[in-house]
Amino acid sequence: MSLLVLATLAVGYTLWAAQELILPILLAAFFALVGNPILRLLGKLRLPRFIAALIVLIGGLAVAGALSLQLAEPASEWVRQVPRELKQVGPKLRQMTKPLQDANRAAQNFARAAGGESTAKPVQVVKTELNDPYRSLTSTPKYVAQVLAVVLLTFFFMVFGESLQRNAIALLPSQQKKKLTIDILHSIEREISRYVLTITLINTGLGLALAGALYALGVPLPESLLWGTMAAILNFAPFVGPLIGMGVMLLMGFVAFDDPGASLLPAGLYLLLHAIESQAVTPIVLGRRMRLSPLVLILALMFFGWMWGIVGLLLAVPMLVCVKLVLARIEGMDGWARLLE
């Protein structure tokens, strides 16, 4: 047991310390896994795997680039307006929270008076931190290199991953283990592709519904599409993404609307749409087979988010699905798979 604990801690520390090397490989393997069914479909059309992988990769980059160009202008405009608009948000928030602040201030004064303490405010020390422009200048090439590494690794995984997988399976000692491994790999590829495609369609529908609702409230169409895209992307990280989305929608409501009641409408619509999606649409579409325990999911999101940041939040659910599928296929481990449901 002691050796097991030490080995677990060593593996966890290695995953954290080597994240700059591990994360591009995991992301590339995940993208290649999702693109493999498309490669097989193109292979039936007699296209070489190299050409098919190039088509899939260029198509994915083209979609991401077109979406970025479409949303770049409203996003930059919003960033320019936020410092000015935030000055107007302060009075609205103070007006809405004034009764609570007065009650809190009265309670503090009463407690100090009862304890014989002075009601004078203590001296507060404010620390300031200067932003180093050279830090962002030196970190930009590293991020660009990581993105290029993910793109290149995805391409090579799609082209040479199948032959590498076949040669690795050939090293297994018995035919039964080879058959079981092939069955597990095909099941993971099929289920992960189905899961990612389904979740992408559901999140796209959520984003379009939110964009339409915001447009009906009078928000300009480019900004509505921006917030809808944000909601769709954040929904890939369960629990954490919607919480961030709620905060952003509250901020956007206070900036876009003058009336305090109308300011809460975007956040209320977002909460309503997310409740419909998470409680009705997703369970019905995905079914029991892809169901994960909320407690296990929250623990996985906390762990991988702490260890790998945003990328860990996005990879937590697919990795849990892979673990569940592997455990369900191995004899004697199906109880652990049920533990994740």
Side-chain angles (χ1 to χ4, degrees):
M1 181 61 68
S2 301
L3 290 176
L4 180 62
V5 171
L6 290 176
T8 303
L9 293 176
V11 170
Y13 177 78
T14 303
L15 291 176
W16 172 80
Q19 57 182 298
E20 293 185 359
L21 174 65
I22 295 174
L23 289 184
I25 297 175
L26 284 178
L27 281 174
F30 174 71
F31 292 146
L33 189 66
V34 174
N36 273 341
I38 305 176
L39 291 179
R40 288 202 177 93
L41 182 61
L42 294 176
K44 294 180 180 179
L45 301 177
R46 304 294 183 180
L47 282 177
R49 193 170 182 86
F50 179 87
I51 302 298
L54 200 60
I55 292 174
V56 172
L57 188 62
I58 292 177
L61 292 175
V63 171
L67 186 62
S68 300
L69 289 175
Q70 182 70 25
L71 300 177
E73 183 176 353
S76 60
E77 182 65 25
W78 175 259
V79 170
R80 285 194 299 267
Q81 291 179 358
V82 162
R84 183 178 71 252
E85 298 292 344
L86 282 179
K87 297 179 181 179
Q88 303 177 7
V89 175
K92 294 182 183 178
L93 292 177
R94 284 194 295 270
Q95 181 181 357
M96 295 180 65
T97 60
K98 189 175 184 302
L100 294 178
Q101 292 176 355
D102 293 340
N104 187 28
R105 191 178 300 111
Q108 290 178 354
N109 293 335
F110 179 77
R112 290 194 186 100
E117 299 179 3
S118 174
T119 58
K121 294 183 178 179
V123 178
Q124 295 181 353
V125 179
V126 179
K127 296 182 179 180
T128 60
E129 181 180 356
L130 297 177
N131 293 326
D132 187 5
Y134 296 102
R135 182 182 301 175
S136 59
L137 185 64
T138 55
S139 61
T140 301
K142 182 177 70 174
Y143 295 142
V144 173
Q146 289 178 346
V147 172
L148 291 177
V150 171
V151 173
L152 290 175
L153 284 172
T154 302
F155 177 73
F156 286 120
F157 269 125
M158 289 192 293
V159 175
F160 303 107
E162 191 175 30
S163 61
L164 179 64
Q165 174 183 320
R166 186 166 54 249
N167 294 333
I169 292 175
L171 297 175
L172 296 176
S174 64
Q175 190 66 27
Q176 182 180 2
K177 291 184 177 179
K178 292 179 181 179
K179 183 179 179 181
L180 177 61
T181 304
I182 293 174
D183 185 40
I184 290 176
L185 291 176
H186 287 175
S187 175
I188 289 177
E189 179 182 308
R190 182 176 60 252
E191 296 296 338
I192 289 296
S193 300
R194 172 177 171 264
Y195 171 81
V196 172
L197 177 61
T198 305
I199 288 297
T200 301
L201 292 176
I202 291 174
N203 293 346
T204 302
L206 174 67
L208 290 175
L210 180 62
L214 293 177
Y215 182 71
L217 289 178
V219 179
L221 182 59
E223 290 189 13
S224 299
L225 293 176
L226 174 65
W227 303 126
T229 305
M230 178 213 68
I233 294 175
L234 288 177
N235 212 46
F236 281 98
F239 301 109
V240 178
L243 285 177
I244 298 174
M246 279 290 298
V248 174
M249 285 293 100
L250 281 173
L251 178 61
M252 189 276 290
F254 282 115
V255 171
F257 300 98
D258 295 329
D259 183 44
S263 302
L264 300 176
L265 283 178
L269 288 172
Y270 178 80
L271 180 61
L272 175 63
L273 292 174
H274 174 68
I276 295 173
E277 174 269 325
S278 60
Q279 301 299 321
V281 178
T282 300
I284 292 174
V285 174
L286 287 180
R288 181 177 178 81
R289 189 173 183 179
M290 304 296 289
R291 186 180 302 171
L292 294 171
S293 169
L295 177 59
V296 175
L297 189 55
I298 291 176
L299 292 175
L301 289 170
M302 292 177 60
F303 176 75
F304 288 109
W306 164 78
M307 187 167 60
W308 291 336
I310 296 177
V311 179
L313 293 176
L314 296 177
L315 290 177
V317 178
M319 286 192 292
L320 271 182
V321 172
C322 290
V323 170
K324 181 182 176 182
L325 292 173
V326 172
L327 293 176
R329 295 282 179 170
I330 299 177
E331 185 179 357
M333 303 293 289
D334 52 345
W336 292 97
R338 288 195 297 269
L339 184 64
L340 299 178
E341 293 183 355

Coordinates of all heavy atoms in Angstrom, one line a residue, residues 202 206 235 238-239 242 270-287 291 294:
I202 N -25.1 19.6 -29.3 CA -26.0 20.2 -28.2 C -25.5 21.6 -27.8 O -26.3 22.5 -27.6 CB -26.0 19.2 -27.0 CG1 -26.7 17.9 -27.4 CG2 -26.6 19.8 -25.8 CD1 -26.6 16.8 -26.3
L206 N -27.3 25.2 -27.9 CA -27.4 26.1 -26.8 C -26.9 27.5 -27.1 O -27.6 28.5 -26.7 CB -26.6 25.5 -25.6 CG -26.5 26.4 -24.3 CD1 -27.8 26.5 -23.7 CD2 -25.5 25.8 -23.4
N235 N -19.6 25.4 -22.2 CA -20.4 24.3 -21.8 C -19.7 22.9 -22.0 O -20.2 21.9 -21.6 CB -21.7 24.2 -22.7 CG -22.9 23.6 -21.9 OD1 -23.1 24.0 -20.7 ND2 -23.6 22.7 -22.5
P238 N -18.2 20.9 -17.8 CA -19.4 20.9 -17.0 C -19.2 21.6 -15.7 O -18.1 21.6 -15.1 CB -19.7 19.4 -16.8 CG -18.9 18.7 -17.9 CD -17.8 19.6 -18.2
F239 N -20.3 22.2 -15.1 CA -20.3 22.9 -13.9 C -19.4 24.1 -13.8 O -19.9 25.2 -13.5 CB -19.8 21.9 -12.7 CG -20.7 20.7 -12.6 CD1 -20.2 19.4 -12.9 CD2 -22.0 20.8 -12.1 CE1 -21.0 18.3 -12.8 CE2 -22.8 19.6 -12.0 CZ -22.2 18.4 -12.4
P242 N -20.4 26.7 -17.0 CA -21.7 27.4 -16.8 C -21.6 28.5 -15.7 O -22.2 29.5 -15.8 CB -22.7 26.3 -16.5 CG -22.2 25.1 -17.2 CD -20.7 25.2 -17.1
Y270 N -29.8 32.6 -19.7 CA -28.7 31.6 -19.8 C -28.9 30.5 -18.8 O -28.7 29.3 -19.1 CB -27.4 32.3 -19.5 CG -26.2 31.4 -19.5 CD1 -25.6 31.0 -20.7 CD2 -25.6 31.0 -18.3 CE1 -24.5 30.2 -20.7 CE2 -24.5 30.1 -18.3 CZ -23.9 29.8 -19.5 OH -22.8 28.9 -19.5
L271 N -29.3 30.8 -17.6 CA -29.6 29.8 -16.6 C -30.7 28.9 -17.0 O -30.6 27.6 -16.8 CB -29.9 30.4 -15.2 CG -30.2 29.5 -14.0 CD1 -29.0 28.6 -13.8 CD2 -30.5 30.3 -12.8
L272 N -31.8 29.4 -17.6 CA -32.9 28.6 -18.0 C -32.5 27.7 -19.1 O -32.8 26.5 -19.1 CB -34.0 29.6 -18.5 CG -35.3 28.9 -19.1 CD1 -36.0 28.0 -18.0 CD2 -36.2 29.9 -19.6
L273 N -31.8 28.2 -20.1 CA -31.4 27.4 -21.3 C -30.4 26.3 -20.8 O -30.5 25.1 -21.3 CB -30.7 28.2 -22.3 CG -31.7 29.2 -23.1 CD1 -30.9 30.1 -24.0 CD2 -32.7 28.4 -23.9
H274 N -29.5 26.6 -19.9 CA -28.6 25.6 -19.4 C -29.3 24.5 -18.6 O -28.9 23.3 -18.7 CB -27.5 26.3 -18.6 CG -26.6 25.3 -17.9 ND1 -25.7 24.5 -18.6 CD2 -26.4 24.9 -16.6 CE1 -25.0 23.7 -17.8 NE2 -25.5 24.0 -16.5
A275 N -30.3 24.9 -17.8 CA -31.1 23.9 -17.1 C -31.8 23.0 -18.0 O -31.8 21.7 -17.8 CB -32.0 24.6 -16.1
I276 N -32.4 23.5 -19.1 CA -33.1 22.6 -20.0 C -32.1 21.7 -20.7 O -32.3 20.5 -20.9 CB -33.8 23.5 -21.1 CG1 -34.9 24.3 -20.4 CG2 -34.4 22.6 -22.2 CD1 -35.6 25.3 -21.3
E277 N -30.9 22.2 -21.1 CA -29.9 21.4 -21.7 C -29.4 20.3 -20.8 O -29.3 19.1 -21.2 CB -28.8 22.3 -22.2 CG -27.6 21.5 -22.8 CD -26.5 21.2 -21.8 OE1 -26.3 22.0 -20.9 OE2 -25.9 20.1 -21.9
S278 N -29.0 20.6 -19.6 CA -28.3 19.7 -18.7 C -29.3 18.7 -18.1 O -28.9 17.6 -17.8 CB -27.6 20.5 -17.6 OG -28.5 21.2 -16.8
Q279 N -30.5 19.1 -17.9 CA -31.5 18.2 -17.2 C -32.4 17.4 -18.1 O -33.0 16.4 -17.7 CB -32.3 19.0 -16.2 CG -31.6 19.8 -15.2 CD -30.8 18.9 -14.3 OE1 -31.2 17.8 -13.9 NE2 -29.5 19.3 -13.9
A280 N -32.5 17.8 -19.3 CA -33.4 17.2 -20.2 C -32.8 16.7 -21.5 O -32.8 15.5 -21.9 CB -34.6 18.1 -20.6
V281 N -32.1 17.6 -22.3 CA -31.6 17.3 -23.6 C -30.5 16.3 -23.5 O -30.5 15.3 -24.2 CB -31.2 18.6 -24.3 CG1 -30.7 18.2 -25.7 CG2 -32.4 19.5 -24.5
T282 N -29.4 16.7 -22.8 CA -28.2 15.8 -22.8 C -28.5 14.4 -22.2 O -28.1 13.4 -22.8 CB -27.1 16.5 -22.0 OG1 -26.8 17.8 -22.6 CG2 -25.9 15.7 -21.9
P283 N -29.2 14.3 -21.1 CA -29.5 12.9 -20.6 C -30.3 12.1 -21.6 O -30.1 10.9 -21.7 CB -30.3 13.1 -19.3 CG -29.9 14.5 -18.8 CD -29.7 15.3 -20.1
I284 N -31.3 12.7 -22.3 CA -32.1 11.9 -23.2 C -31.3 11.5 -24.4 O -31.4 10.4 -24.9 CB -33.3 12.8 -23.6 CG1 -34.3 12.9 -22.5 CG2 -34.0 12.1 -24.8 CD1 -35.4 13.9 -22.8
V285 N -30.4 12.4 -24.9 CA -29.7 12.1 -26.2 C -28.5 11.1 -25.9 O -28.3 10.2 -26.6 CB -29.1 13.4 -26.7 CG1 -28.2 13.1 -27.9 CG2 -30.2 14.3 -27.2
L286 N -27.8 11.3 -24.8 CA -26.6 10.5 -24.6 C -27.0 9.1 -23.9 O -26.4 8.1 -24.1 CB -25.6 11.2 -23.7 CG -24.8 12.3 -24.3 CD1 -23.9 12.9 -23.3 CD2 -24.1 11.8 -25.5
G287 N -28.1 9.2 -23.1 CA -28.5 7.9 -22.5 C -27.6 7.5 -21.3 O -26.7 8.2 -20.9
R291 N -23.4 8.1 -19.0 CA -23.6 8.8 -17.8 C -22.5 8.7 -16.9 O -21.9 7.7 -16.7 CB -24.9 8.3 -17.2 CG -25.4 9.2 -16.0 CD -26.6 8.6 -15.4 NE -27.7 8.6 -16.4 CZ -28.9 8.0 -16.2 NH1 -29.1 7.3 -15.0 NH2 -29.8 8.0 -17.1
P294 N -22.1 12.8 -11.0 CA -21.8 14.2 -10.8 C -20.7 14.4 -9.8 O -19.8 15.3 -9.9 CB -23.1 14.8 -10.3 CG -24.2 13.9 -10.8 CD -23.6 12.5 -10.8

